[in-house]
Amino acid sequence: MKIPSAKPFAYATALLFALSACDSPLSTRPAAAYNPTALTSGLYYRWASGRIVKVWVVQAGLSTTVDLAGAVARALPVWNAVPQYNEVQLIAATSAAEANIIVYDASVPIPVVPPAMCSFDSRGAGGYTYFCDGKGVEGPRDALVVPLATGGGVATVVIRVDRGRASTAAAYDAIVAHEFGHALGIGAHSDSATDLMFINPSIAAPSDRDRATFQFVLGKAPQLRL
Amino acid sequence: MRPSARLARTFANVFLAVLALGAAESKTLFAQSSAEVAVRLPVTWASGVGAPKVKTQFAPMLSLNLGGALNANTRASLDTRISNTDIRMTENGVSWSGGTLTLVDVVATLGWRPLLLNDHRLSVEIGAGATVFAGSRNVAPFKDSKSVVPIAEGTVAYDLPFKFAKNAVALLARETIMRMGGADVSDAVQQPGYVHRVSFGLRVTHQ
């Protein structure tokens, strides 16, 4: 039997390898769809890359008609789907003491003791996200941790939502998901009503514009590390 | 169809034709099975400005090859390789984990042997097939790519001048290329390109 020579294949392979040497995959991050630091005067803040962030929901004293745990459980996966490089991942904490983010409803007492330099005031909106910047420190810095009111733990970010200001359960879900956008590093409100980060969100998952903005933030070296 | 996919399909068709011809005339087909132990060097899967460099680390690789001689100088085989390695991202001076990546390569190879260079026996092999991505696929470029990607590879093997339990032993160096990126508009790797995987190992061939 006459076997075909391997030479043509060898030459073709060598040529392919040579041509491919200067052609490597190039990745990019999308541009932000809106200014992600509009509320923070240009300050980029976020969790360190590769961080697993633990979330605790305060259930003590909460009415059984308020499904805060469910709203948080629905918000986590929609935000976890956005990072392209595993920069941050939200998971449920097994106790308040190990949590990085504490989520509570306005109908129960505040579960943390804010430091004097950081006022956790609320002005009647459906949701707030708090963290404490160690101001006075130049350059990249860490947010101050906030002690829990009971149990001896600390948290870095506190989310306060108000079911009483949400007309429906779906609106409550949207507020909770919106606040997680702030807790992850979007220090802004979108000016488009179709975005989750619009000031009065009507959806409970990030839009393409929210996704692009968050991915853009994840590529920025944070001036404030949560 | 991408150029690499077209080349892989052409190669696969030729390989199957050669194999069929060989099977009809050679009783030695699949008589020379071999096993390989190799180390795959770190691989850069994607890089860019304003985006992390995605690399995998040194990876152990095992390969089982079913093959045989088509004639005195030509050999064909079907190889299955598996490797497992950590994914690391680096950006802004910070490095973090992307989980573990498992690669399974299935490759049809044609070997051309031996080439005698001053009594040193070398063989040259070319192959085409596919890589299957498994394991952690939640980071780019793996999350956006298909789970099966065509590959092409070239191998140089040097036959050592001794046998191990009557089996031939060879050192080998191999480069595998595959095209990544540009799967859709949401793919983080917007500009596709070739990924090169280089490995070195030892092959034992049953004779």
Side-chain angles (χ1 to χ4, degrees), chain B:
Chain B
M1 185 183 292
R2 292 177 178 175
S4 56
R6 197 178 302 122
L7 181 66
R9 179 167 293 185
T10 302
F11 188 94
N13 289 336
V14 171
F15 178 83
L16 290 173
V18 170
L19 212 58
L21 286 172
E25 297 200 11
S26 173
K27 295 179 180 178
T28 60
L29 199 66
F30 295 120
Q32 293 181 339
S33 299
S34 61
E36 296 173 15
V37 178
V39 173
R40 184 169 283 160
L41 302 187
V43 177
T44 298
W45 292 89
S47 60
V49 177
K53 177 177 284 189
V54 182
K55 294 186 73 172
T56 47
Q57 308 301 300
F58 284 99
M61 183 171 68
L62 296 174
S63 179
L64 290 175
N65 316 323
L66 290 175
L70 297 175
N71 63 21
N73 291 325
T74 310
R75 183 177 178 277
S77 70
L78 184 64
D79 305 352
T80 304
R81 320 188 206 292
I82 184 166
S83 63
N84 198 48
T85 182
D86 292 333
I87 308 169
R88 297 294 300 178
M89 264 72 66
T90 305
E91 185 178 29
N92 297 324
V94 178
S95 180
W96 68 96
S97 172
T100 302
L101 179 70
T102 301
L103 298 175
V104 179
D105 298 348
V106 179
V107 188
T109 65
L110 279 176
W112 189 22
R113 57 185 302 198
L115 300 175
L116 293 177
L117 299 174
N118 299 328
D119 295 334
H120 296 287
R121 295 160 63 89
L122 291 173
S123 62
V124 176
E125 299 161 15
I126 55 175
T131 282
V132 180
F133 291 120
S136 179
R137 292 192 59 208
N138 61 341
V139 297
F142 312 109
K143 69 183 295 185
D144 299 313
S145 81
K146 293 178 180 175
S147 57
V148 180
V149 178
I151 58 175
E153 65 178 33
T155 304
V156 176
Y158 170 66
D159 292 345
L160 294 175
F162 60 85
K163 293 198 173 185
F164 174 74
K166 298 183 179 178
N167 296 313
V169 182
L171 295 174
L172 56 92
R174 175 180 294 128
E175 180 170 5
T176 305
I177 61 171
M178 59 197 301
R179 197 158 174 85
M180 296 288 287
D184 55 44
V185 291
S186 66
D187 194 332
V189 180
Q190 280 296 300
Q191 184 175 322
Y194 288 96
V195 172
H196 296 250
R197 294 185 278 155
V198 176
S199 57
F200 297 96
L202 193 69
R203 175 161 63 201
V204 178
T205 303
H206 175 70
Q207 292 185 319

Side-chain angles (χ1 to χ4, degrees), chain A residues 78-155:
Chain A
V78 297
W79 279 110
N80 279 339
V82 180
Q84 296 170 297
Y85 300 98
N86 200 36
E87 295 97 332
V88 64
Q89 186 184 6
L90 298 167
I91 65 170
T94 56
S95 71
E98 70 169 27
N100 307 112
I101 297 176
I102 300 283
V103 187
Y104 77 105
D105 188 84
S107 60
V108 303
I110 182 170
V112 297
V113 182
M117 64 185 300
C118 294
S119 62
F120 282 14
D121 65 317
S122 57
R123 291 176 292 274
Y128 283 93
T129 296
Y130 303 104
F131 52 84
C132 191
D133 183 3
K135 287 178 179 171
V137 179
E138 292 297 325
R141 55 195 182 273
D142 294 324
L144 300 179
V145 292
V146 180
L148 302 186
T150 58
V154 295

